Amino acid sequence: DRASGVRVKSFHIGASFKDQEGNIYFGGSNGLIRFNPNLLSEHSNAPHIVFTDVIVNNTNLNVGDNVGGRILLHKDINYTDKLELGYKQNHLTLLFAANDFLGTDNVLYQYRMPGFQDEWINTRGRNEISFTGLNPGDYEVQIRASRDRQNWSEIRSLRIDVDVPPWATWYAYTLYALL
């Protein structure tokens, strides 16, 4: 099936062959498959995660966009380590994909945000996560992927800083104390 990387829809009885190098061939309705069982590994290579898009307050961010008087994305989201958001920019959706050539149909994604959500949460087949109403503070979103639920990719992370509103800064509190 497509999820396992096999593109042949059905196989023909008796259409198989093993050559001298150990390669096994199977003939099917729309092609031929060859593989060498000696090259099969018990370990599944975990897919690599790439960030594909970021949406802040229901607006897709592009490199260099001026949002609320500031540029939030200085380079492509996949090459960004940290997002600095204003206190009003606290609704965030992060989109990602597995760089997986065996078929993404069977890739499982999980995420967490240490200090906010410490346990890994399954995305239920979706390749996006959303956070609404983030309070001012520093966060780190961590995402991982797996094909077999045992071998996980390297954790991919994005730091997010949500600014404190001006009336809650130490400057404001100093001014309040002087009044």
Side-chain angles (χ1 to χ4, degrees), residues 44-177:
S44 171
N45 291 332
H48 177 74
I49 295 174
V50 293
F51 294 134
T52 58
D53 203 359
V54 63
I55 301 169
V56 174
N57 291 354
N58 296 319
T59 302
N60 286 61
L61 288 186
N62 295 307
V63 175
D65 282 354
N66 187 325
V67 181
R70 65 198 299 186
I71 295 175
L72 300 179
L73 206 55
H74 296 278
K75 53 187 170 182
D76 185 85
I77 188 63
N78 194 47
Y79 302 104
T80 298
D81 297 321
K82 180 178 180 182
L83 274 179
E84 295 185 27
L85 305 175
Y87 71 95
K88 290 182 180 179
Q89 299 164 330
N90 59 356
H91 301 290
L92 174 80
T93 300
L94 183 61
L95 290 87
F96 45 88
N99 203 359
D100 183 87
F101 302 107
L102 294 177
T104 58
D105 296 343
N106 60 352
V107 174
L108 171 73
Y109 298 102
Q110 291 183 333
Y111 73 95
R112 68 180 177 184
M113 192 182 282
F116 186 73
Q117 294 172 321
D118 291 326
E119 299 296 317
W120 287 104
I121 300 168
N122 291 331
T123 64
R124 302 184 193 271
R126 300 187 68 196
N127 62 334
E128 67 180 58
I129 51 176
S130 296
F131 301 96
T132 58
L134 286 173
N135 290 323
D138 299 333
Y139 303 93
E140 181 182 14
V141 178
Q142 298 178 341
I143 304 168
R144 66 183 185 176
S146 175
R147 272 191 232 101
D148 59 10
R149 293 177 167 79
Q150 294 175 359
N151 298 299
W152 291 94
S153 67
E154 288 185 30
I155 293 173
R156 188 70 201 274
S157 63
L158 177 68
R159 292 191 334 258
I160 301 164
D161 293 346
V162 180
D163 288 345
V164 175
W167 61 85
T169 62
W170 69 271
Y171 298 111
Y173 286 116
T174 302
L175 181 61
Y176 301 151

Side-chain angles (χ1 to χ4, degrees), residues 17-25 34-39:
F17 173 73
K18 183 175 180 182
D19 69 18
Q20 294 174 345
E21 284 105 38
N23 294 310
I24 298 175
Y25 299 84
R34 176 193 65 142
F35 78 98
N36 189 323
N38 299 325
L39 300 177

